[in-house]
Amino acid sequence: MLKRPGKDEYAPYYEQYISKVTDEEYEVFLDRQRDEILALFGEIDEEKARYRYAPGKWSLKEVLGHITDTERVMSYRMLRISRGDSTLLPGFDQDVFVANTSFDELSIEDLLNDFKAVRQATLTLRRTIADSAWSRQANVSTFDITARGLAYVIAGHAEHHLTIVKERYL
């Protein structure tokens, strides 16, 4: 079982995400969350999927694409750190990522399939990480984080956006 990271394993900024992860087994949490995302977004029609709750905010399709992109980035970081690569990892600008996509042109089904593939890759990557590797730490942008911290950021970040979708979009 993957234990929750200590506060010394990530920057304070990430507490907003990590605190959203329940104490259930990590893979069970990711599986349940995947199913919730698939069910929630799967009920949204194409017109509603382009909805923005305010000017300048992302559409529902862009939110889903952002969740997927962020999981890709965080999983890559988790891979590098867990494998002992302590090379400085750059940050990424989520707004630039979303601005340079075609999320709104893709079907919600295509975006859900992409999310499913990335989540499956995260789960299979998690199984290849040795217990001793979860505490490995490296610098990402301007802060140190462990592989375990990144695993919990992945789960908590998606949970954060699920809450926003339920409160502001639906």
Side-chain angles (χ1 to χ4, degrees), residues 56-108:
K57 295 299 182 182
W58 295 338
S59 69
L60 279 163
K61 286 183 174 186
E62 289 171 329
V63 171
L64 179 56
H66 165 69
I67 291 168
T68 304
D69 274 357
T70 300
E71 187 158 334
R72 272 190 179 99
V73 170
M74 296 299 172
S75 289
Y76 171 72
R77 291 172 175 175
M78 186 171 69
L79 168 68
R80 297 264 312 261
I81 293 170
S82 69
R83 299 298 196 256
D85 184 350
S86 60
T87 305
L88 174 65
L89 296 166
F92 80 103
D93 185 329
Q94 65 183 13
D95 294 315
V96 170
F97 269 47
V98 171
N100 289 289
T101 68
S102 59
F103 293 146
D104 277 340
E105 297 166 21
L106 296 171
S107 71
I108 196 75

Side-chain angles (χ1 to χ4, degrees), residues 12 17 25 27 39 45-46 49 53 55-57 72 75 84 90 94 109 112-113 115 132 135 137 146 149 167:
Y17 302 134
E25 203 280 315
E27 285 190 34
D45 66 36
E46 289 297 320
Y53 70 87
K57 295 299 182 182
R72 272 190 179 99
S75 289
Q94 65 183 13
E109 182 181 357
L112 285 169
N113 285 334
F115 169 75
S132 60
S135 61
Q137 192 169 50
T146 62
E167 291 176 356

Side-chain angles (χ1 to χ4, degrees), residues 3-169:
K3 71 175 191 160
R4 179 177 296 280
K7 293 191 185 292
D8 60 336
E9 294 185 55
Y10 56 89
Y13 171 81
Y14 287 108
E15 180 62 26
Q16 68 177 318
Y17 302 134
I18 293 171
S19 67
K20 295 187 178 307
V21 182
T22 64
D23 288 332
E24 67 190 305
E25 203 280 315
Y26 181 76
E27 285 190 34
V28 171
F29 184 91
L30 286 186
D31 284 340
R32 182 184 52 74
Q33 184 183 68
R34 177 201 56 224
D35 293 346
E36 182 178 2
I37 288 171
L38 295 175
L40 184 68
F41 281 90
E43 295 294 319
I44 298 170
D45 66 36
E46 289 297 320
E47 182 180 339
K48 179 72 173 175
R50 289 184 193 87
Y51 171 74
R52 299 164 194 274
Y53 70 87
K57 295 299 182 182
W58 295 338
S59 69
L60 279 163
K61 286 183 174 186
E62 289 171 329
V63 171
L64 179 56
H66 165 69
I67 291 168
T68 304
D69 274 357
T70 300
E71 187 158 334
R72 272 190 179 99
V73 170
M74 296 299 172
S75 289
Y76 171 72
R77 291 172 175 175
M78 186 171 69
L79 168 68
R80 297 264 312 261
I81 293 170
S82 69
R83 299 298 196 256
D85 184 350
S86 60
T87 305
L88 174 65
L89 296 166
F92 80 103
D93 185 329
Q94 65 183 13
D95 294 315
V96 170
F97 269 47
V98 171
N100 289 289
T101 68
S102 59
F103 293 146
D104 277 340
E105 297 166 21
L106 296 171
S107 71
I108 196 75
E109 182 181 357
D110 286 342
L111 291 167
L112 285 169
N113 285 334
D114 190 35
F115 169 75
K116 281 191 291 191
V118 170
R119 178 53 58 97
Q120 185 59 39
T122 299
L123 286 163
T124 57
L125 172 61
R126 184 259 178 267
R127 293 177 197 124
T128 71
I129 298 174
D131 289 343
S132 60
W134 287 108
S135 61
R136 289 188 181 133
Q137 192 169 50
N139 190 278
V140 175
S141 190
T142 60
F143 60 91
D144 289 337
I145 193 162
T146 62
R148 179 179 24 250
L150 285 165
Y152 272 73
V153 168
I154 289 166
H157 176 264
E159 201 67 21
H160 165 77
H161 283 288
L162 271 171
T163 301
I164 290 173
V165 165
K166 290 173 189 173
E167 291 176 356
R168 298 182 189 168
Y169 288 86

